[in-house]
Amino acid sequence: MTDLKSMNLEEMSSFFRALGQPAFRAKQVFQWLHRGAVSFEEMTNLPKSLREQLGESCFITAPAVERKQVSAQDGTIKYLWRLGDGNCIETVLMRYHHGNTVCISSQVGCRMGCAFCASTLGGKVRDLTPAEMLDQVLFTQLDSSLPISNIVLMGIGEPLDNFETVLRFLELVNSPDGMNIGMRHISLSTCGLIEKIDKLAQLRLQLTLSVSLHAPDDETRSAIMPSNRAVGTERLFACCRRYFEQTGRRISYEYILIDGVNDHDWQADLLARHLKGTGGHVNLIPMNPVKESPFRPSRRVREFQDRLERQGVTATVRRKLGGDIDASCGQLRRKQLLEGQTLQDPKAGPAADRGGIR
Ligand code: SAH
């Protein structure tokens, strides 16, 4: 079965050419899929015979809402989606003044092993497909009736560990015949896979790169982020400088402040020394406690911020949204797993067969 929605317009054109169809079919189907069509029957401007032919050889991904939580505090919505194969992933919709932002997942689970993060506790199950990434934006918009203007790739998974898929997703969501979301409205967050950051730099995309730093020294960073052991902070900082030089795009650094682990004055000083003059911006994140983790939120957020600012590095403290709905990375999927509800439902067919979105 062919996953049409993961194709770009060019691939779809050759697909329809091979079926002996006129060139404009590709654009018609592309537009239907990117508007959220869940069946070929809906595509009323296609001949009936073609619709039937497509129905036999192709499938349309459409996640089902497994759980939906709406924050009473700030309107943040968290979706737990069930995918066609029964796996679950999360998407969060945040309502900012500058527009509605979705935080999407790139993998089912994660293999990076960060000690403070709930997404990685069960390891990586599989990569998402481009269509499954796009669906999170598309069906969040359709289900909530809120127009989405910004995307952050900061949900479950390591986007650069699913590199080609993420590039294809960016192409799809950016397409003028699709959702048409501008690259400048997209952020990609990585734990710091340097070979992939270098590859990304060559593409000179207008997106914002966020690097999850969380510590400026190897001892601390390797202890909380196993992916640092092979890379090291010196090489990571050098890679980030190259990225800035090649793309002209300033990097934003995520820094979850953890009590007694990475919130010391000397760490702020070391961080400032590395970032000074690079245009890099630090996003300080009050930690969301994860039950299985021994870490607690820092009590020195303001001091840490002031210390960076005094040394010429801009730092903002991220506003906490959705605190009442397990909105931090991987927490809802984790909860579902722990409650023993089956996340692998062998009976579950493609969501479209089960009535599509709810
Ligand atoms: N793998 C990518 C993207 C997913 S994690 C990366 O590492 O950047 C993205 C972000 O999730 C982290 O940088 C952090 O901002 C947030 N995060 C993870 N666990 C958290 C926790 N316990 N509290 C607060 N934020 C958390």
Side-chain angles (χ1 to χ4, degrees), residues 116 154-155 157-158 189-191 212 214 254 256 285 288 290 328:
F116 45 81
M154 258 187 213
E158 168 50 48
S189 180
T190 176
C191 64
S212 292
H214 308 317
E254 321 282 327
I256 301 177
I285 305 168
N288 271 314
V290 171
S328 149

Side-chain angles (χ1 to χ4, degrees), residues 68-79 92-96 100-101 140 144 146 319-325 327:
K68 177 178 172 181
Q69 299 185 347
V70 183
S71 165
Q73 296 164 2
D74 50 47
T76 299
I77 307 178
K78 180 139 190 171
Y79 289 95
V92 185
L93 171 65
M94 293 160 291
R95 310 187 60 179
Y96 291 112
N100 299 316
T101 302
T140 295
S144 66
L146 295 167
R319 193 159 62 96
K320 201 171 161 169
L321 292 175
D324 55 336
I325 56 164

Side-chain angles (χ1 to χ4, degrees), residues 193-211:
L193 306 182
I194 58 175
E195 290 86 6
K196 301 293 169 57
I197 295 177
D198 282 330
K199 264 175 92 173
L200 190 67
Q202 289 169 9
L203 302 173
R204 295 172 197 270
L205 300 177
Q206 299 283 296
L207 52 74
T208 299
L209 181 66
S210 291
V211 171

Side-chain angles (χ1 to χ4, degrees), residues 5-29:
K5 209 192 288 179
S6 288
M7 290 183 181
N8 61 17
L9 205 47
E10 211 180 315
E11 288 170 351
M12 233 184 255
S13 299
S14 4
F15 177 85
F16 282 102
R17 209 177 307 125
L19 291 183
Q21 289 289 327
F24 59 84
R25 293 284 177 236
K27 202 161 182 171
Q28 287 176 322
V29 172

Side-chain angles (χ1 to χ4, degrees), residues 213 216 237 250-255 267-284 301-317:
L213 191 63
F237 283 121
R250 296 177 177 193
I251 293 179
S252 139
Y253 295 87
E254 321 282 327
Y255 201 108
Q267 285 163 319
D269 297 346
L270 183 59
L271 181 57
R273 216 175 319 134
H274 279 296
L275 298 193
K276 219 174 154 186
T278 67
H281 173 96
V282 180
N283 219 325
L284 295 170
V301 177
R302 273 312 293 269
E303 283 106 306
F304 202 87
Q305 179 187 21
D306 289 345
R307 211 169 167 97
L308 287 174
E309 295 260 348
R310 276 203 305 276
Q311 295 175 72
V313 173
T314 59
T316 43
V317 179

